[in-house]
Amino acid sequence: MFTIYVYVLDTLADWELGYVTSELNSGRFFKKGAQRVSLKTVSASRETVTTMGGLTIVPDCLIDEMVAEKTSMLILPGANTWSDPRHGAVIEKAREFLSAGAAVCAICGATTALAGCGLLDQRPHTSNGPGFLELFSPGYKGQRFYVDQPSVADHNLITAGCAGALLWARQIIEYLDVFQSDTLEAWYEYFRTGKPEYFYALTKTLPCGSDKTS
């Protein structure tokens, strides 16, 4: 079973996590035989976190309780507080995850933290623009590996800009291999376009009698 660690910090950008956490937690579109995943919120302390939307989150565990193995994934959302030194510990844990073959998925402001520690210097990645990384991460040296796309998957590293949450979610789900390929395609196209034909295509990929589309 995969353990998905979701790092939570003050001013967390709620919308960036919505697609991926709801689908992974509910399992509503998982393919037959797919193992459920365990989602755990993790933070630098046990203190309650307040998101950008004003929601409060009590972390499930601390950074040093995370286990870096191939069946682990670390999700790092955007926030306005990534420059706080207290978050350096989770970036070092991200380094450990990548070295162990575990997945690290970062979006928006979280990419600046990875860039600042050199974790994007030698791997294809994206963010809100190379200038964004240069502005907020003076030590950034990965310009030649920057890809101008909403989200970029490079093996066990998946990065995205703030407008790439949907594609980022798709790439994370694909990495975990918990959807059928046709389910994932229809799911993505429906949320990308809003066209009803993709909604119907999505329902047709599900087992007969399934009622998981709400």
Side-chain angles (χ1 to χ4, degrees), residues 150-163:
S151 185
V152 171
D154 178 50
H155 303 292
N156 61 333
L157 175 66
I158 305 174
T159 53
C162 65

Side-chain angles (χ1 to χ4, degrees), residues 78-117:
N80 294 334
T81 52
W82 271 108
S83 59
D84 189 325
R86 71 189 309 200
H87 305 309
V90 79
I91 299 305
E92 287 308 306
K93 183 63 74 169
R95 188 189 304 277
E96 181 183 336
F97 267 54
L98 292 172
S99 296
V104 174
C105 311
I107 186 169
C108 193
T111 63
T112 66
L114 296 182
C117 290

